[in-house]
Amino acid sequence: MSKHIRYVIDGFTTQRVENVKALGKALINLDDEIKVSKSGYKVSISFRTPDDARILGCEELDELLSKFGVTAMRIIAMSVSTYEYEGAVSGDVAGGVTAGVSTKRLDTALLIAVLSGLGGCVIGKTIEKGEGIIESCEKRNGRWARVQ
C-alpha cells in the first residue's frame, strides 16, 4: 500500500486526446500515466502524484491546463491509498471492491469512494481507496470557488 494524491479535472477542449496527454510531461513529479476521457468537447483528466508532492491549487492547475488548450470547470484533489493486485486475485478483488463502478465516470467513482470510505476504484493495474478530499473547486462566472 502507498499513499498518493489523485487529481480529477473536468473541462472542455478542442484538442486531441494525445495532445492533452502531453500535459503529463509538463507536470512535475507525476507518479502514474495520465488518464484522459473525451466525448465531443467535454474532457475528463485524471492523474496522481506522490503523497509528499506539493499540492497544486485550482488556479495553478487551471493556468497549466490552459497552456494545453483545456478549459477546466471542476477540479478535485484527494488523498488515496493505492494497492497493486496480482492477476490471479484481480477478478475477486475487482468484483468485491468496485461493485459496478466500472460503468461510471472516473471522477464520480472516485468521489463515491472518498465519501463512502469503504469503496475503491480499479484504475489500470491498481486499486485506489479514497481517504479524503483535499480540495474541491468549481469555476463559477470565471472565478474559482471552493466547494465544501
Side-chain angles (χ1 to χ4, degrees), residues 103-117:
T103 60
K104 298 180 188 230
R105 290 184 14 214
L106 178 63
D107 62 335
T108 305
L110 285 170
L111 191 56
I112 290 169
V114 168
L115 295 177
S116 70

Side-chain angles (χ1 to χ4, degrees), residues 54-65:
R54 184 175 65 81
I55 297 171
L56 302 170
C58 294
E59 293 82 3
E60 184 179 5
L61 271 173
D62 185 32
E63 184 178 325
L64 179 64
L65 290 166

Side-chain angles (χ1 to χ4, degrees), residues 62-75:
D62 185 32
E63 184 178 325
L64 179 64
L65 290 166
S66 67
K67 293 178 183 177
F68 292 90
V70 176
T71 303
M73 297 306 290
R74 182 175 62 164
I75 298 174

